Every structure is written in structure tokens, then in C-alpha cells.
Amino acid sequence: MITLNVNASKFYSIFVAKTDAEFPVKPFQGKKVCIVSDSNVAPLYLNNYAKKLTESQVFSYVIPAGESSKSAENFIKIHSYLAENEFTRGDVLIALGGGVVGDLTGFVASTYMRGIAYYQIPTSLLAMIDSSVGGKTAIDLPEGKNLVGSFYQPSGVYVDLSTLNTLPKTEMENGMGELVKYAFLDKEITVEDLQGGITDVLISKCLSVKIAIVEADERESGKRMLLNLGHTVGHAIEALSGYTVPHGTCVAKGLSYAIALSKAVYGLSDEKVAEMQNLLTMSGIDLSIPYHKKEILSLIRRDKKAKHDGVDFVLIKDIGSCEIKRMDFSVLENIL
């Protein structure tokens, strides 16, 4: 098992294991534990983890699978469930699932009795390498994704690679979009790493990149915005699809735009652009975008990173060298 440490506003460890036999039970124990999961993951893994928590009184709360469950309604329902079962500040929540479960559970933990401990056991590739670490928690509103939330670090994260064995192909592709993003952010993640499949070493390399950025800028006032590489256009594509195209897939599509913008801004050579495009195609994702630039720009103007006549965009000077650059909407329109 590989152990990584996060030294943010709260110190915690991330355990990356090849099998659940390596589960470090003790940190996840509490007098009472509520495991929050969804209707896809719970039948596969909930009982297994509940049985491991032998020193705890274990409760569970299962939400329907899908983005629509990251709602204000479920947020309140889980609070009520915890209150009905007399959970206190000394008790524990565990998020067992993908990004929806993790985001929702984390936000509940940050607000129930003004904050209780929670742990992440991510079961999707995307959640393993990205959303389970860093403390971003949120729910959606009808007006948009992640509009209500908080920064609230987990007390620990356990990554069990064996849960990927039951992950649908579409969800593996979803995670690959975020994984390739990390390869653009740091040269330590090589083409050979990507060709070698999903391993504990590759997962740990991605997490190490995120940890370093989160420790430097926990509340996204500067450097952490680098993690938005591919997301500005990606979020627009996601919204235009009615959230039917997975987030990571949209990030990969957004990366193709980032490469085009970077070429125009930095005057990148054709050889360098080809190198970047080759890295992106290793995600195996269809990069076609069936939307007009005016539709995409309309959504970008409403992005939370947009201000006045422009938006903060993450551009790629070289593989392993990215920067945040203010882009005027008029310039974006011309380049796109």
C-alpha cells in the first residue's frame, strides 16, 4: 500500500491499495459511523466495509445514482437522518462512491453541527485521482453545478483499486479525462505511465500533483486554479449536453480547446502541438464537439471564473508547464 500525506488546514493521509484487504480500519472508526453511498455502489461494497468497522455502530444512507442526487433535498434529508439517529460531533461520515457521493457527503459533514469528521472511499477513477482529495464539497442548484458548497478537508482517503473492476467503461473514460489533465500539469506522469494502465503508482503520481497544488493554495485563490485546465470549455460542453456527457469526457474535449488557444497565444510550433495532441488522444476519448462556438462562449460568460469582459483560462506553454492567463471574450471568440 502507498501512503501519501496532505498537509493543508487539516493534516490527513491517503492510502492507495490494490485490494480492500489493506483497508486501514482504525482511522475510519467512530462511535457511530454513517456510510453514504449510491444505488450502484451500495449493493457491491457497502456491506463489505460496514463489516470491517467492528468497533462502530454502523448506519447507512443510500441515494439514487446520478448527478441529480447532488441536491439540496438530499442534503437536508441526510442531515435529518443524522439528527434522528443522534449523531454528534464525535461521530463520523464515510463517502463510499464517486464524485457525487463524495461532494454531497463532504458538504453535509462541513455543516452538520457546524462540522464533523468524514472520510472518502472513492470507487470511481475520477474520484480517486481528483474529487476525493482537496476539500471541495458542493451541491447543485437548478441554475448550475456546485453553486453551493464549502472547502472542508476529509480526515482521510482510502483508494481501493479493486473497485475499478466493476466500473463501467464510460466511467473509466470519464476518469481518463482528468488523468490526462495531470499529465499536462506535471512531466512526472509520462507516456509510459499512461500506456501501463491504471496502477497504484499512476494513481499516486496524479494525487501527488494535486496534493502539492492544494497545499500551496487550498482555497483556490491562485495556483489551485491550474487544476481547472480543460474545465472552462469542459463545463460549457457539459451544460450544453444537459449533463449527459460525463465530466471527465468534457474536460478532455476542453483540453483540445486549451491546446488550440495555447498555440495561438504562445505561437507553439506544429511539432509541439502534435506532441500535446498525441498525449491527449491517449485518453481514448472522442474529442469531437457538436456545439457552435457562440453556444460555448455564452456558457463561459456565466462561468464562476468569468469577470467583466474576460475569464481566467489555464493555458499550456509546454507539457508540464501551464499558467493561468486572463483571456478577453473578444479574443476567445476570434481564436475559437
Side-chain angles (χ1 to χ4, degrees):
M1 182 163 64
I2 299 172
T3 302
L4 305 169
N5 294 318
V6 183
N7 191 16
S9 56
K10 178 190 292 182
F11 178 89
Y12 59 97
S13 295
I14 305 168
F15 307 96
V16 183
K18 296 178 182 179
T19 168
D20 72 344
E22 299 180 272
F23 182 58
V25 177
K26 190 172 181 180
F28 291 75
Q29 297 277 20
K31 184 177 180 182
K32 290 181 182 178
V33 174
C34 181
I35 302 175
V36 181
S37 191
D38 69 29
S39 55
N40 286 342
V41 174
L44 297 170
Y45 301 112
L46 196 153
N47 286 340
N48 180 46
Y49 281 103
K51 288 176 182 177
K52 293 177 183 294
L53 301 170
T54 54
E55 297 179 12
S56 303
Q57 184 181 5
V58 181
F59 299 77
S60 63
Y61 193 98
V62 179
I63 60 173
E67 183 71 29
S68 61
S69 284
K70 211 167 83 174
S71 64
E73 180 183 10
N74 282 326
F75 174 75
I76 295 299
K77 283 182 176 179
I78 296 173
H79 276 82
S80 295
Y81 180 77
L82 296 175
E84 288 164 5
N85 288 285
E86 299 180 336
F87 271 66
T88 70
R89 285 183 177 176
D91 297 320
V92 170
L93 290 179
I94 294 177
L96 175 65
V100 168
V101 169
D103 284 3
L104 173 62
T105 305
F107 191 37
V108 170
S110 75
T111 52
Y112 182 73
M113 291 192 171
R114 297 191 177 94
I116 65 172
Y118 82 106
Y119 292 82
Q120 294 266 15
I121 304 180
T123 59
S124 71
L125 178 58
L126 191 150
M128 287 178 182
I129 62 173
D130 195 68
S131 61
S132 66
V133 174
K136 279 189 175 182
T137 76
I139 58 173
D140 302 337
L141 296 179
E143 291 78 12
K145 285 185 63 173
N146 300 328
L147 292 182
V148 181
S150 63
F151 288 95
Y152 192 69
Q153 299 292 346
S155 294
V157 180
Y158 177 66
V159 175
D160 171 13
L161 265 65
S162 67
T163 60
L164 296 178
N165 295 334
T166 56
L167 199 66
K169 183 180 177 181
T170 54
E171 281 303 312
M172 285 297 292
E173 179 183 282
N174 187 17
M176 285 302 298
E178 289 281 2
L179 197 153
V180 170
K181 176 196 78 177
Y182 284 111
F184 276 95
L185 290 171
D186 196 311
K187 282 186 176 179
E188 288 298 310
I189 301 169
T190 65
V191 170
E192 289 72 26
D193 286 325
L194 297 178
Q195 290 173 333
I198 306 302
T199 64
D200 54 346
V201 173
L202 178 55
I203 295 286
S204 298
K205 282 189 174 185
C206 291
L207 288 171
S208 294
V209 176
K210 181 157 191 180
I211 290 167
I213 291 174
V214 168
E215 288 180 341
D217 176 28
E218 183 173 352
R219 299 184 70 85
E220 201 174 28
S221 59
K223 187 176 181 180
R224 187 167 179 171
M225 292 175 67
L226 289 172
L227 295 171
N228 289 321
L229 176 62
H231 284 62
T232 303
V233 171
H235 282 155
I237 295 169
E238 199 174 358
L240 288 167
S241 77
Y243 300 100
T244 58
V245 180
H247 171 75
T249 302
C250 293
V251 168
K253 293 176 186 290
L255 273 166
S256 67
Y257 270 100
I259 292 171
L261 284 172
S262 300
K263 179 182 180 181
V265 171
Y266 300 121
L268 300 178
S269 68
D270 291 341
E271 291 78 13
K272 180 57 65 178
V273 170
E275 181 186 0
M276 292 179 179
Q277 289 174 336
N278 178 61
L279 182 61
L280 181 55
T281 57
M282 294 191 71
S283 68
I285 294 172
D286 174 10
L287 300 173
S288 62
I289 302 169
Y291 305 110
H292 192 274
K293 69 176 183 180
K294 289 184 178 180
E295 295 177 288
I296 292 172
L297 280 166
S298 175
L299 268 295
I300 291 175
R301 288 178 183 275
R302 300 205 298 247
D303 190 284
K304 58 179 175 289
K305 297 178 294 296
K307 296 176 184 176
H308 307 299
D309 295 325
V311 64
D312 290 330
F313 217 102
V314 184
L315 299 181
I316 312 162
K317 299 174 72 174
D318 196 356
I319 294 171
S321 178
C322 299
E323 71 173 5
I324 303 155
K325 196 170 183 67
R326 190 75 178 168
M327 300 292 295
D328 290 342
F329 289 122
S330 58
V331 175
L332 275 178
E333 185 168 7
N334 290 331
I335 296 174
L336 293 179

